[in-house]
Amino acid sequence: MISGDAERVAEAARAWREAGRRTHRLTVSHAFHSPHMDGILEEFRAVAAGLTFHRPRIPIVSTVTGEIATAEQLASPDYWARQIRETVRFAAATRRLAAEGATVLVEVGPDAVLTALARRTLEDTPAAAVTAVPVLRAGRPEAETLATATATAYAQGAPLDVASFFPGGVRTDLPVYPFRRTRFWLNAAPRTDARSLGLDPAGHPLLTTAVEFAEREDALFTSRLSRADQPWLADHAIAGTVIAPGTAFLELAVAAGGHVGAPHLAELLLEAPLPLPERGAVRVQVAVGAPDPDGQRPFTVHARPDAADRALPWTRHATGLLAPAGAAPAADADLVSWPRPAPPPRASTTSTTAWPRSATTTAPPSGPCVPCGGAAPTSSPR
């Protein structure tokens, strides 16, 4: 604490603030503990001499000397005149209290200024465990603050006259047997569904969650693929390695597109195979971009092992385009009936000698090898 000429004190406070320290100006009527008090010391001493002093019933540590005050000092008007003039040896008095075995320090005043100073004085010392408690705090309810301070001091070992704190209260003997505690509250299981995590369920066997971004038209869909959760994926093995089939990427893309109004697949490009480990799983992300002027949306499919190592890279396995429902290609009228009729005979310059006779009346058998949408080839003599 600094006390003296207002200009000098303000200059010192400004220097401390520039050094990163907090300062606070006390609301007092005089510059106590400074030469400004010299003019009233004699008058103050005369007033103190007219009082009747008694020997203290509890030890008092003096902030004038930093030691335990004697009965003669406390009954002397000169001592009290020194109190308002000399330097306050608060740190020395606090350490002396701790050395005398005090474990709880109670500040009786309008705020907790001295409490903070006491804690700072005793930190990093053998007396750091001493508890400092303010009974009042500026801007806080007095009754609540007093009750909290009393309970804190009592819990730290300070004696408490409970009868004075609870007038009219009576003591009740506790039972001699342990309390029988029976818990009736249900233990709430942690929720792990998409809704409880702030996400939307994708509602598809291969997609788990859907994330729509605020003020954006793109979306993200996440999933987790494994042989245990989707055992049918294990049927697609190449050279002993289970690979996610291309139709799985198609299904992921179409399912994601259905959530954003683009359920038709316009383009799909498979860039890298996705192996499924024998144990564990892979995390999948399907990112659908914003629509272009034609309503088409680009999409990508990324995956990486589902492991605790977040440094594992994501691999892009597929890209493509999704089209809105209105952009679906119209059904070909020629495909309404099947098989399609054979085309009429056309003139040919090919010599019949180049064909066996049986070829003039025989057409290739229909089956999977017949191109979809095209008629089976035929031949006829010229």
Side-chain angles (χ1 to χ4, degrees), residues 90-155:
F90 179 81
T94 303
R95 296 190 185 98
R96 183 62 180 179
L97 283 170
E100 290 294 326
T103 58
V104 179
L105 307 180
V106 179
E107 179 180 357
V108 181
D111 206 350
V113 177
L114 299 182
T115 298
L117 293 177
R119 291 170 179 169
R120 189 179 307 170
T121 299
L122 298 177
E123 64 183 0
D124 300 329
T125 70
V130 173
T131 301
V133 180
V135 297
L136 292 177
R137 298 295 299 271
R140 299 188 184 182
E142 294 185 359
E144 179 181 339
T145 305
L146 175 61
T148 302
T150 304
T152 302
Y154 178 69

